């Protein structure tokens, strides 16, 4: 085809670039909206403990450890009693009953992460041979969490 028969290129109508820009803005707004609506909520820190909560549970941990030292509890019994005590402490501290939660659920709940790690540490030694050092470390770790959380 000879060059004389070619037509000059046609420009787009004004609405084509305007529609493209509007679609890009709409896609960006949609992405921001979806991101904002699907973001998980920030964990709410637990309220400060009531008066006497910490001393009561520290005394309970000390009582359990004294029972172990006196021979009333074996290592397994001590770990199970400490786990029960820490679950009760976390339940009172959070205002939510966590006594029936699994160890993984307790550890996965943000404010109870330290309690969950203690429960995980006590899970295996509950079925291990007796060890006085393990019992002392378990009681000390429980006292620390109760005193600092």
């Amino acid at each position: 085809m000879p060059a004389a028969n070619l037509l000059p290129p046609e420009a787009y109508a004004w609405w084509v670039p305007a529609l493209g820009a509007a679609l890009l803005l709409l896609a960006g707004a949609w992405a921001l909206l979806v991101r904002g609506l699907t973001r998980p909520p920030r964990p709410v820190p637990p309220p400060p403990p009531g008066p006497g909560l910490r001393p009561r549970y520290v005394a309970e941990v000390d009582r359990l450890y004294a029972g172990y030292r006196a021979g009333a509890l074996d290592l397994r019994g001590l770990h199970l009693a400490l786990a029960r005590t820490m679950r009760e402490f976390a339940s009172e501290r959070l205002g939510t009953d966590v006594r029936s939660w699994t160890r993984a659920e307790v550890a996965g709940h943000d404010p109870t992460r330290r309690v969950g790690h203690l429960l995980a540490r006590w899970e295996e030694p509950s079925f291990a041979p007796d060890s006085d050092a393990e019992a002392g470390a378990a009681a000390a770790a429980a006292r620390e969490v109760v005193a600092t959380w």
Side-chain angles (χ1 to χ4, degrees):
M1 177 174 246
N5 292 343
L6 294 178
L7 297 173
E10 292 289 325
Y12 284 115
W14 66 270
W15 58 269
V16 174
L19 179 65
L23 287 175
L24 285 175
L25 288 173
L26 184 64
W30 178 259
L32 290 174
L33 177 72
V34 167
R35 183 175 181 227
L37 291 178
T38 59
R39 183 175 298 167
R42 289 188 175 147
V44 177
L53 181 69
R54 286 184 173 147
R56 187 174 81 219
Y57 279 98
V58 168
E60 177 67 15
V61 169
D62 290 340
R63 185 188 67 78
L64 292 171
Y65 184 61
Y68 172 79
R69 301 283 290 169
L73 289 172
D74 61 350
L75 184 63
R76 179 178 185 274
L78 175 67
H79 281 135
L80 292 174
L82 284 174
R84 184 185 68 249
T85 301
M86 293 308 294
R87 286 175 189 272
E88 289 172 0
F89 172 71
S91 294
E92 283 193 49
R93 181 79 168 87
L94 294 172
T96 302
D97 188 11
V98 301
R99 291 176 296 179
S100 62
W101 290 8
T102 65
R103 177 201 44 86
E105 288 172 333
V106 172
H109 191 67
D110 194 51
T112 60
R113 192 168 311 265
R114 293 175 68 190
V115 175
H117 291 308
L118 276 182
L119 295 175
R121 281 179 46 195
W122 296 338
E123 194 172 70
E124 181 194 343
S126 293
F127 304 99
D130 287 351
S131 167
D132 290 337
E134 179 61 37
R143 270 189 229 102
E144 178 199 351
V145 169
V146 170
T148 59
W149 179 52

